[in-house]
mmCIF file of all heavy atoms in Angstrom:
data_model
loop_
_atom_site.group_PDB
_atom_site.id
_atom_site.type_symbol
_atom_site.label_atom_id
_atom_site.label_comp_id
_atom_site.label_asym_id
_atom_site.label_seq_id
_atom_site.Cartn_x
_atom_site.Cartn_y
_atom_site.Cartn_z
ATOM 1 N N LYS A 103 1.982 17.873 11.257
ATOM 2 C CA LYS A 103 1.852 17.631 12.727
ATOM 3 C C LYS A 103 1.123 16.363 13.002
ATOM 4 O O LYS A 103 0.436 16.199 14.029
ATOM 5 C CB LYS A 103 1.147 18.814 13.369
ATOM 6 C CG LYS A 103 1.938 20.115 13.290
ATOM 7 C CD LYS A 103 3.248 20.014 14.082
ATOM 8 C CE LYS A 103 4.101 21.234 14.019
ATOM 9 N NZ LYS A 103 5.355 21.140 14.789
ATOM 10 N N ALA A 104 1.241 15.371 12.114
ATOM 11 C CA ALA A 104 0.675 14.047 12.296
ATOM 12 C C ALA A 104 1.516 13.045 11.575
ATOM 13 O O ALA A 104 2.174 13.386 10.569
ATOM 14 C CB ALA A 104 -0.749 13.982 11.810
ATOM 15 N N ALA A 105 1.536 11.783 12.020
ATOM 16 C CA ALA A 105 2.272 10.736 11.378
ATOM 17 C C ALA A 105 1.633 9.423 11.660
ATOM 18 O O ALA A 105 0.965 9.189 12.653
ATOM 19 C CB ALA A 105 3.710 10.749 11.890
ATOM 20 N N HIS A 138 -7.587 8.458 11.732
ATOM 21 C CA HIS A 138 -7.112 9.165 12.922
ATOM 22 C C HIS A 138 -7.626 10.588 12.920
ATOM 23 O O HIS A 138 -8.080 11.132 14.001
ATOM 24 C CB HIS A 138 -5.525 9.176 12.907
ATOM 25 C CG HIS A 138 -4.949 9.975 13.983
ATOM 26 N ND1 HIS A 138 -4.852 9.612 15.275
ATOM 27 C CD2 HIS A 138 -4.330 11.216 13.900
ATOM 28 C CE1 HIS A 138 -4.265 10.594 16.010
ATOM 29 N NE2 HIS A 138 -3.930 11.540 15.135
ATOM 30 N N THR A 142 -10.189 12.186 15.710
ATOM 31 C CA THR A 142 -9.570 13.093 16.741
ATOM 32 C C THR A 142 -9.636 14.597 16.356
ATOM 33 O O THR A 142 -9.019 15.418 16.970
ATOM 34 C CB THR A 142 -8.098 12.739 16.929
ATOM 35 O OG1 THR A 142 -7.378 12.897 15.689
ATOM 36 C CG2 THR A 142 -7.948 11.237 17.376
ATOM 37 N N GLN A 145 -10.284 16.957 19.155
ATOM 38 C CA GLN A 145 -9.379 16.820 20.300
ATOM 39 C C GLN A 145 -8.113 17.739 20.098
ATOM 40 O O GLN A 145 -7.629 17.811 19.016
ATOM 41 C CB GLN A 145 -8.964 15.372 20.509
ATOM 42 C CG GLN A 145 -10.116 14.455 20.758
ATOM 43 C CD GLN A 145 -9.697 13.010 20.951
ATOM 44 O OE1 GLN A 145 -8.624 12.752 21.542
ATOM 45 N NE2 GLN A 145 -10.456 12.023 20.492
ATOM 46 N N GLY A 146 -7.690 18.333 21.189
ATOM 47 C CA GLY A 146 -6.472 19.134 21.130
ATOM 48 C C GLY A 146 -5.334 18.400 21.829
ATOM 49 O O GLY A 146 -5.513 17.307 22.397
ATOM 50 N N GLY A 147 -4.194 18.919 21.751
ATOM 51 C CA GLY A 147 -3.008 18.335 22.464
ATOM 52 C C GLY A 147 -2.482 17.167 21.721
ATOM 53 O O GLY A 147 -2.670 16.964 20.534
ATOM 54 N N TYR A 148 -1.750 16.333 22.420
ATOM 55 C CA TYR A 148 -1.158 15.113 21.895
ATOM 56 C C TYR A 148 -2.162 13.987 21.848
ATOM 57 O O TYR A 148 -2.792 13.621 22.858
ATOM 58 C CB TYR A 148 0.057 14.691 22.761
ATOM 59 C CG TYR A 148 0.714 13.428 22.265
ATOM 60 C CD1 TYR A 148 0.991 13.155 20.958
ATOM 61 C CD2 TYR A 148 1.032 12.441 23.234
ATOM 62 C CE1 TYR A 148 1.594 11.946 20.562
ATOM 63 C CE2 TYR A 148 1.666 11.242 22.818
ATOM 64 C CZ TYR A 148 1.923 10.992 21.521
ATOM 65 O OH TYR A 148 2.515 9.854 21.137
ATOM 66 N N VAL A 149 -2.342 13.384 20.660
ATOM 67 C CA VAL A 149 -3.347 12.285 20.476
ATOM 68 C C VAL A 149 -2.642 11.116 19.832
ATOM 69 O O VAL A 149 -1.907 11.309 18.808
ATOM 70 C CB VAL A 149 -4.520 12.724 19.621
ATOM 71 C CG1 VAL A 149 -5.511 11.624 19.562
ATOM 72 C CG2 VAL A 149 -5.201 13.984 20.186
ATOM 73 N N LYS A 150 -2.831 9.978 20.338
ATOM 74 C CA LYS A 150 -2.141 8.760 19.790
ATOM 75 C C LYS A 150 -3.262 7.608 19.652
ATOM 76 O O LYS A 150 -4.061 7.406 20.566
ATOM 77 C CB LYS A 150 -1.101 8.247 20.812
ATOM 78 C CG LYS A 150 -0.339 6.971 20.412
ATOM 79 C CD LYS A 150 0.675 6.638 21.431
ATOM 80 C CE LYS A 150 1.516 5.410 21.115
ATOM 81 N NZ LYS A 150 2.524 5.158 22.204
ATOM 82 N N SER A 151 -3.319 7.059 18.449
ATOM 83 C CA SER A 151 -4.276 6.008 18.130
ATOM 84 C C SER A 151 -3.523 4.712 17.762
ATOM 85 O O SER A 151 -2.607 4.771 16.894
ATOM 86 C CB SER A 151 -5.210 6.429 16.965
ATOM 87 O OG SER A 151 -5.857 7.601 17.226
ATOM 88 N N VAL A 152 -3.901 3.634 18.358
ATOM 89 C CA VAL A 152 -3.289 2.363 18.052
ATOM 90 C C VAL A 152 -4.397 1.459 17.500
ATOM 91 O O VAL A 152 -5.447 1.280 18.152
ATOM 92 C CB VAL A 152 -2.663 1.675 19.270
ATOM 93 C CG1 VAL A 152 -2.093 0.282 18.879
ATOM 94 C CG2 VAL A 152 -1.558 2.572 19.833
ATOM 95 N N VAL A 190 -0.321 2.605 14.029
ATOM 96 C CA VAL A 190 -0.264 3.651 15.054
ATOM 97 C C VAL A 190 -0.307 4.986 14.345
ATOM 98 O O VAL A 190 0.337 5.189 13.317
ATOM 99 C CB VAL A 190 0.909 3.529 16.000
ATOM 100 C CG1 VAL A 190 2.204 3.745 15.256
ATOM 101 C CG2 VAL A 190 0.818 4.480 17.162
ATOM 102 N N ALA A 191 -1.010 5.946 14.904
ATOM 103 C CA ALA A 191 -1.066 7.327 14.388
ATOM 104 C C ALA A 191 -0.867 8.278 15.544
ATOM 105 O O ALA A 191 -1.424 8.017 16.677
ATOM 106 C CB ALA A 191 -2.411 7.589 13.703
ATOM 107 N N VAL A 192 -0.126 9.296 15.287
ATOM 108 C CA VAL A 192 0.070 10.303 16.362
ATOM 109 C C VAL A 192 -0.193 11.744 15.749
ATOM 110 O O VAL A 192 0.054 12.005 14.631
ATOM 111 C CB VAL A 192 1.487 10.301 16.941
ATOM 112 C CG1 VAL A 192 1.724 8.977 17.643
ATOM 113 C CG2 VAL A 192 2.561 10.497 15.889
ATOM 114 N N GLY A 193 -0.774 12.556 16.663
ATOM 115 C CA GLY A 193 -0.943 13.973 16.260
ATOM 116 C C GLY A 193 -0.435 14.870 17.381
ATOM 117 O O GLY A 193 -0.652 14.514 18.561
ATOM 118 N N VAL A 194 0.227 15.968 17.020
ATOM 119 C CA VAL A 194 0.822 16.735 18.026
ATOM 120 C C VAL A 194 0.387 18.229 17.909
ATOM 121 O O VAL A 194 0.040 18.677 16.814
ATOM 122 C CB VAL A 194 2.383 16.732 17.995
ATOM 123 C CG1 VAL A 194 2.893 15.272 18.236
ATOM 124 C CG2 VAL A 194 2.882 17.219 16.663
ATOM 125 N N PRO A 195 0.447 19.033 18.961
ATOM 126 C CA PRO A 195 0.164 20.479 18.874
ATOM 127 C C PRO A 195 1.274 21.190 18.175
ATOM 128 O O PRO A 195 2.369 20.650 17.919
ATOM 129 C CB PRO A 195 0.054 20.922 20.340
ATOM 130 C CG PRO A 195 0.804 19.866 21.085
ATOM 131 C CD PRO A 195 0.708 18.566 20.362
ATOM 132 N N ALA A 196 0.983 22.443 17.795
ATOM 133 C CA ALA A 196 1.920 23.218 16.959
ATOM 134 C C ALA A 196 3.305 23.323 17.463
ATOM 135 O O ALA A 196 4.279 23.315 16.693
ATOM 136 C CB ALA A 196 1.352 24.599 16.754
ATOM 137 N N GLU A 197 3.526 23.356 18.794
ATOM 138 C CA GLU A 197 4.838 23.606 19.336
ATOM 139 C C GLU A 197 5.611 22.262 19.539
ATOM 140 O O GLU A 197 6.768 22.320 19.975
ATOM 141 C CB GLU A 197 4.761 24.318 20.650
ATOM 142 C CG GLU A 197 4.069 23.594 21.799
ATOM 143 C CD GLU A 197 2.566 23.746 21.795
ATOM 144 O OE1 GLU A 197 1.994 24.259 20.786
ATOM 145 O OE2 GLU A 197 1.958 23.386 22.850
ATOM 146 N N TRP A 198 5.059 21.154 19.247
ATOM 147 C CA TRP A 198 5.733 19.865 19.332
ATOM 148 C C TRP A 198 6.221 19.429 17.954
ATOM 149 O O TRP A 198 5.799 19.998 16.991
ATOM 150 C CB TRP A 198 4.776 18.791 19.926
ATOM 151 C CG TRP A 198 4.405 18.988 21.346
ATOM 152 C CD1 TRP A 198 4.445 20.173 22.080
ATOM 153 C CD2 TRP A 198 3.932 17.977 22.260
ATOM 154 N NE1 TRP A 198 4.012 19.932 23.373
ATOM 155 C CE2 TRP A 198 3.657 18.640 23.472
ATOM 156 C CE3 TRP A 198 3.637 16.668 22.095
ATOM 157 C CZ2 TRP A 198 3.156 17.931 24.620
ATOM 158 C CZ3 TRP A 198 3.184 15.961 23.224
ATOM 159 C CH2 TRP A 198 2.921 16.537 24.427
ATOM 160 N N ASN A 199 7.060 18.386 17.963
ATOM 161 C CA ASN A 199 7.621 17.882 16.684
ATOM 162 C C ASN A 199 7.487 16.331 16.699
ATOM 163 O O ASN A 199 7.485 15.668 17.686
ATOM 164 C CB ASN A 199 9.107 18.268 16.608
ATOM 165 C CG ASN A 199 9.273 19.781 16.591
ATOM 166 O OD1 ASN A 199 8.922 20.467 15.651
ATOM 167 N ND2 ASN A 199 9.802 20.324 17.689
ATOM 168 N N ILE A 200 7.513 15.880 15.463
ATOM 169 C CA ILE A 200 7.542 14.364 15.216
ATOM 170 C C ILE A 200 8.742 14.043 14.401
ATOM 171 O O ILE A 200 8.904 14.551 13.327
ATOM 172 C CB ILE A 200 6.264 13.881 14.551
ATOM 173 C CG1 ILE A 200 5.036 14.279 15.265
ATOM 174 C CG2 ILE A 200 6.345 12.311 14.373
ATOM 175 C CD1 ILE A 200 3.739 13.944 14.512
ATOM 176 N N LEU A 222 8.902 6.274 15.195
ATOM 177 C CA LEU A 222 8.376 7.626 15.370
ATOM 178 C C LEU A 222 8.743 8.106 16.746
ATOM 179 O O LEU A 222 8.692 7.346 17.656
ATOM 180 C CB LEU A 222 6.830 7.660 15.203
ATOM 181 C CG LEU A 222 6.235 7.377 13.848
ATOM 182 C CD1 LEU A 222 4.708 7.262 13.949
ATOM 183 C CD2 LEU A 222 6.614 8.412 12.837
ATOM 184 N N VAL A 223 9.123 9.425 16.842
ATOM 185 C CA VAL A 223 9.556 9.940 18.136
ATOM 186 C C VAL A 223 8.896 11.327 18.201
ATOM 187 O O VAL A 223 9.016 12.162 17.376
ATOM 188 C CB VAL A 223 10.998 9.967 18.296
ATOM 189 C CG1 VAL A 223 11.718 10.723 17.158
ATOM 190 C CG2 VAL A 223 11.350 10.649 19.617
ATOM 191 N N VAL A 224 8.210 11.564 19.355
ATOM 192 C CA VAL A 224 7.577 12.863 19.637
ATOM 193 C C VAL A 224 8.415 13.599 20.630
ATOM 194 O O VAL A 224 8.762 13.100 21.691
ATOM 195 C CB VAL A 224 6.155 12.636 20.227
ATOM 196 C CG1 VAL A 224 5.525 13.958 20.583
ATOM 197 C CG2 VAL A 224 5.243 11.835 19.235
ATOM 198 N N PHE A 225 8.764 14.870 20.266
ATOM 199 C CA PHE A 225 9.647 15.623 21.141
ATOM 200 C C PHE A 225 9.312 17.095 21.077
ATOM 201 O O PHE A 225 8.661 17.638 20.217
ATOM 202 C CB PHE A 225 11.167 15.389 20.722
ATOM 203 C CG PHE A 225 11.490 15.853 19.356
ATOM 204 C CD1 PHE A 225 12.143 17.085 19.189
ATOM 205 C CD2 PHE A 225 11.222 15.148 18.177
ATOM 206 C CE1 PHE A 225 12.532 17.565 17.925
ATOM 207 C CE2 PHE A 225 11.602 15.513 16.951
ATOM 208 C CZ PHE A 225 12.204 16.817 16.823
ATOM 209 N N LEU A 292 9.015 12.955 24.391
ATOM 210 C CA LEU A 292 7.751 12.757 25.151
ATOM 211 C C LEU A 292 7.155 11.346 24.951
ATOM 212 O O LEU A 292 6.486 10.866 25.798
ATOM 213 C CB LEU A 292 6.767 13.844 24.741
ATOM 214 C CG LEU A 292 7.269 15.285 24.952
ATOM 215 C CD1 LEU A 292 6.512 16.208 23.994
ATOM 216 C CD2 LEU A 292 7.020 15.686 26.346
ATOM 217 N N ASP A 293 7.412 10.822 23.777
ATOM 218 C CA ASP A 293 6.881 9.429 23.457
ATOM 219 C C ASP A 293 7.607 8.959 22.184
ATOM 220 O O ASP A 293 8.266 9.711 21.503
ATOM 221 C CB ASP A 293 5.431 9.514 23.181
ATOM 222 C CG ASP A 293 4.719 8.153 23.177
ATOM 223 O OD1 ASP A 293 5.391 7.221 23.675
ATOM 224 O OD2 ASP A 293 3.551 8.102 22.838
ATOM 225 N N PHE A 294 7.596 7.624 22.042
ATOM 226 C CA PHE A 294 8.188 7.000 20.840
ATOM 227 C C PHE A 294 7.460 5.701 20.509
ATOM 228 O O PHE A 294 6.857 5.091 21.429
ATOM 229 C CB PHE A 294 9.683 6.827 20.974
ATOM 230 C CG PHE A 294 10.063 5.760 22.016
ATOM 231 C CD1 PHE A 294 10.219 4.435 21.558
ATOM 232 C CD2 PHE A 294 10.234 6.058 23.336
ATOM 233 C CE1 PHE A 294 10.559 3.428 22.415
ATOM 234 C CE2 PHE A 294 10.621 5.092 24.244
ATOM 235 C CZ PHE A 294 10.779 3.770 23.794
ATOM 236 N N VAL A 295 7.538 5.285 19.275
ATOM 237 C CA VAL A 295 7.026 3.988 18.853
ATOM 238 C C VAL A 295 7.992 3.402 17.890
ATOM 239 O O VAL A 295 8.531 4.016 16.994
ATOM 240 C CB VAL A 295 5.691 4.080 18.101
ATOM 241 C CG1 VAL A 295 5.076 2.709 17.885
ATOM 242 C CG2 VAL A 295 4.680 4.931 18.941
#
Side-chain angles (χ1 to χ4, degrees):
K103 293 297 177 180
H138 172 78
T142 63
Q145 300 179 35
Y148 175 47
V149 183
K150 181 179 180 181
S151 304
V152 179
V190 64
V192 297
V194 300
E197 66 274 15
W198 292 21
N199 301 288
I200 305 172
L222 291 173
V223 54
V224 177
F225 66 97
L292 303 157
D293 196 9
F294 69 90
V295 186

